Amino acid sequence: MDKKITLITGASRGIGKATAILLAKNGYFPILLARNEIQLKAAVSEIQAMNLEGTYYDLDITNEDAVKKTVNAIIAQYGRIDVLVNNAGIGYFKEMETITTTEWDQVMDVNVKGTFLLTKAIVPLFKNQQSGHIVNIASDVSRRTFPNGSLYCASKYAMDAFTSSIRKELRVHNVKVSQIMPGLVRTTFDGDVTEVDRKKEWLDAEDIANAVLYILQTPSSVVIDEVMIHPMCQEY
Ligand code: NJP
């Protein structure tokens, strides 16, 4: 396999799926990770229908044993991993006192612990290889807050701090760490309907996929630390 082995979490739909497709078109071998096997299969079929390569593993990124098993299976199959895109994420947007502890745990488990678990499983390999690139999809709310966003913002601020710390830790091992902070993106993130009027001027998932590709294509001596992207319609 001479293509770069690229793990993408949350690749069953939205930004993760768009990233998998764009990377496949550009010579990467995407490995799509998420829980919904029907959507994963459909995404890989789309890739293969273009005569491109890619595969999937169904994985709940909050399950440490499952994460370890999946990463080990991928290493056994392909011999190495070149890129990890930590993209899976969820959110609840409500008044602080109405947030349940279950909702708190769910968001923190996916956005923060899931990112940590995948990264922890792969970093020893990256250090061994003396190469690798981690791209974390955080949010513009890693840097700003808004009413009813306390839980989601807290999770994305945590992701930002985690990303920034490990960038400093891994640089000496020749491992790159980048972060993308999107504004509003037209996906199913806040519900099932993607084409309602209020979303028509939002970013496409492909806009974020393009940023991932740009970040990955820098020369070996260059790392893009972070990129913040907004639609023109969004005041920031
Ligand atoms: O969201 P969506 P986006 N284990 O809902 C997966 C951030 N962002 O593409 O498991 C594994 O279409 C889920 O897969 P499944 C956002 O915070 C977005 O918009 O099959 N995977 C699905 O593939 C997030 O970090 C906006 O249900 C799990 C994916 O996550 C990233 O962008 C703005 C999982 C979510 O797809 C992608 O979001 C912003 C688990 N336990 C940041 N739980 C925006 N859309 O406006 C969920 O600032 N997934």
Side-chain angles (χ1 to χ4, degrees):
M1 174 67 70
D2 55 357
K3 295 180 172 183
K4 288 195 168 167
I5 308 295
T6 302
L7 274 56
I8 306 164
T9 69
S12 54
R13 56 184 186 271
I15 293 169
K17 178 183 169 185
T19 300
I21 292 172
L22 186 70
L23 293 186
K25 285 179 179 167
N26 283 274
Y28 293 76
F29 184 85
I31 299 182
L32 289 71
L33 306 172
R35 294 163 305 172
N36 187 323
E37 205 171 351
I38 294 170
Q39 290 186 332
L40 285 168
K41 247 184 209 161
V44 169
S45 297
E46 253 182 72
I47 290 170
Q48 290 169 344
M50 291 182 272
N51 275 329
L52 300 167
E53 289 181 296
T55 191
Y56 75 85
Y57 290 75
D58 59 320
L59 174 67
D60 179 346
I61 61 162
T62 67
N63 179 331
E64 183 167 17
D65 283 344
V67 168
K68 280 186 197 158
K69 273 188 198 136
T70 302
V71 168
N72 287 340
I74 291 167
I75 295 169
Q77 174 80 25
Y78 300 100
R80 59 170 216 287
I81 295 171
D82 300 292
V83 178
L84 167 64
V85 182
N86 281 309
N87 163 75
I90 60 168
Y92 292 107
F93 303 94
K94 51 203 294 206
E95 288 174 342
M96 163 298 121
E97 70 275 22
T98 69
I99 299 168
T100 65
T101 47
T102 305
E103 289 167 341
W104 181 274
D105 288 343
Q106 278 174 357
V107 172
M108 288 298 181
D109 277 359
V110 176
N111 299 3
V112 188
K113 193 172 88 178
T115 298
F116 159 68
L117 290 177
L118 261 296
T119 306
K120 178 178 157 78
I122 284 170
V123 156
L125 176 77
F126 279 1
K127 283 187 174 176
N128 220 14
Q129 292 176 170
Q130 286 290 294
S131 70
H133 199 154
I134 299 166
V135 182
N136 289 345
I137 311 296
S139 173
D140 66 349
V141 305
S142 296
R143 299 282 167 78
R144 73 181 171 91
T145 56
F146 61 95
N148 296 342
S150 58
L151 171 53
Y152 184 65
C153 293
S155 75
K156 293 296 183 177
Y157 268 67
M159 226 177 141
D160 184 28
F162 176 73
T163 307
S164 168
S165 295
I166 63 169
R167 179 180 304 117
K168 291 171 182 165
E169 215 170 297
L170 297 177
R171 191 182 54 80
V172 292
H173 299 283
N174 197 37
V175 175
K176 297 183 182 184
V177 179
S178 305
Q179 173 165 275
I180 297 178
M181 293 169 282
L184 296 167
V185 188
R186 194 169 49 249
T187 67
T188 56
F189 181 75
D190 68 344
D192 280 338
V193 184
T194 56
E195 296 301 335
V196 290
D197 266 1
R198 77 187 166 89
K199 289 191 182 178
K200 68 177 185 294
E201 291 180 355
W202 291 14
L203 297 170
D204 287 320
E206 288 72 20
D207 294 323
I208 310 304
N210 276 322
V212 176
L213 180 64
Y214 176 70
I215 282 172
L216 293 179
Q217 286 182 328
T218 49
S220 59
S221 58
V222 175
V223 60
I224 295 179
D225 296 347
E226 49 189 43
V227 172
M228 193 178 281
I229 312 172
H230 287 108
M232 287 297 282
C233 68
Q234 184 181 5
E235 194 179 338
Y236 179 71

